[in-house]
Amino acid sequence: ATARGLYMEKGKKNADAKVGNEASSPRAGALQSALSVELHTHYAIRLWEGRKQSDSNSRSPHEKKRPEIISMPKAIQRAGVASRDSAADNPYADMVLVKLETTINSASTKISKILNELDVILTAIPKGITLSDIASAHPLNISVYSRSPLGYRCVWLLVGYDQLAMKSFQAFHYGMISRAQRDQYLNRGGHAVRQVYGAIQPYYTVAVNRSDIINLTARGKEALARLGEPDPDIFSGKKRSSFSSPLREHSVRQSEKS
């Protein structure tokens, strides 16, 4: 072989190797992020853990039976299930996600309002006095994972209530609010969190989609008998959770025809 031929063959091999390296170049993996929260008050921790339904046999005849309060992990799990069902074109899942988001927004507004009131109270102190930030000596640290953004929104709400509880006790401890005021703040904030739990607690999966309901399949008829007619605006996609994926075009066309 001539020197020119050897040079060309060597150049071809180098070019092939370069193409092969480009084809097998490393790619970025899945995005990952870890999240944990700290809870400082027994009030917030109890809401995180929930409450089992009281046994009427273990209480006196004059005491009312206390209903179950689901735990935060259960609320997060059910929000994830509803999001999964919504992605499968389930209108009943869409309904509960809209309700959950609306309830979270309302509860967040209530808790923010109380926190603003407490901030005003805690800053109304004489000159020369300094209050440090309040925190537990041993907060509960919890790792959190949710398949739904609304699950994380539930967690943000509980963390806000934890702040509310800390500031309420701080203001009461230093004589800035009465015991009755403290308890009122705690009850109002706790009620807001429980309302969010109540929005997601009844949800369970019903295997149905919009096409089933429009075409009155066996699954569609069963869902309508058990759950009733879906909200027309939600069924058509006019009303939808801001965290849900867009309604499928096929479903939109079918809804318009029906």
Side-chain angles (χ1 to χ4, degrees):
T2 64
R4 183 171 178 273
L6 290 173
Y7 178 80
M8 290 176 67
E9 185 67 24
K10 184 178 178 182
K12 182 177 183 297
K13 288 181 180 178
N14 289 340
D16 289 344
K18 185 177 180 182
V19 171
N21 288 336
E22 288 177 353
S24 61
S25 60
R27 297 179 62 187
L31 297 176
Q32 294 182 336
S33 176
L35 183 144
S36 63
V37 298
E38 285 187 347
L39 297 180
H40 296 258
T41 66
H42 292 301
Y43 283 79
I45 292 170
R46 284 203 296 268
L47 278 174
W48 176 274
E49 294 174 343
R51 181 183 70 198
K52 293 182 178 180
Q53 187 173 3
S54 61
D55 185 353
S56 57
N57 295 328
S58 64
R59 302 174 68 83
S60 72
H62 304 290
E63 289 185 277
K64 291 183 178 180
K65 193 173 183 179
R66 298 191 303 174
E68 177 191 10
I69 299 175
I70 64 171
S71 65
M72 178 61 77
K74 281 187 178 179
I76 293 171
Q77 186 264 341
R78 291 185 188 183
V81 170
S83 294
R84 179 203 65 194
D85 293 346
S86 171
D89 204 27
N90 186 324
Y92 297 102
D94 290 330
M95 286 173 62
V96 79
L97 291 178
V98 168
K99 182 179 180 181
L100 179 60
E101 183 177 359
T102 302
T103 309
I104 289 173
N105 289 340
S106 175
S108 298
T109 299
K110 292 175 184 177
I111 287 179
S112 294
K113 183 178 179 181
I114 297 172
L115 281 171
N116 289 337
E117 290 179 24
L118 285 165
D119 284 338
V120 171
I121 291 168
L122 288 167
T123 54
I125 55 177
K127 291 182 179 179
I129 296 177
T130 302
L131 290 180
S132 65
D133 291 335
I134 187 170
S136 169
H138 302 286
L140 178 65
N141 191 287
I142 306 169
S143 296
V144 179
Y145 174 75
S146 172
R147 295 182 182 276
S148 166
L150 286 172
Y152 288 117
R153 288 287 304 276
C154 291
V155 176
W156 306 153
L157 182 70
L158 185 60
V159 171
Y161 177 66
D162 192 41
Q163 294 288 324
L164 182 156
M166 282 193 291
K167 292 184 178 186
S168 295
F169 277 102
Q170 186 181 30
F172 170 69
H173 177 76
Y174 290 115
M176 296 172 158
I177 60 174
S178 67
R179 180 180 294 272
Q181 284 176 295
R182 180 201 68 185
D183 292 346
Q184 184 187 53
Y185 285 143
L186 292 170
N187 291 336
R188 284 165 56 193
H191 179 67
V193 176
R194 291 193 297 273
Q195 282 183 313
V196 170
Y197 284 174
I200 193 65
Q201 183 169 357
Y203 184 74
Y204 60 92
T205 297
V206 173
V208 70
N209 57 41
R210 283 173 171 79
S211 181
D212 287 321
I213 294 172
I214 292 170
N215 296 313
L216 291 178
T217 65
R219 294 196 308 181
K221 289 177 181 178
E222 182 183 356
L224 288 168
R226 290 169 62 182
L227 303 174
E229 290 279 351
D231 182 296
D233 287 341
I234 292 177
F235 193 83
S236 66
K238 183 178 179 181
K239 187 189 295 183
R240 198 160 177 79
S241 167
S242 58
F243 297 100
S244 294
S245 55
L247 196 62
R248 298 174 184 177
E249 290 185 13
H250 175 68
S251 297
V252 172
R253 288 196 297 270
Q254 281 194 313
S255 298
E256 289 173 349
K257 289 179 181 178
S258 63

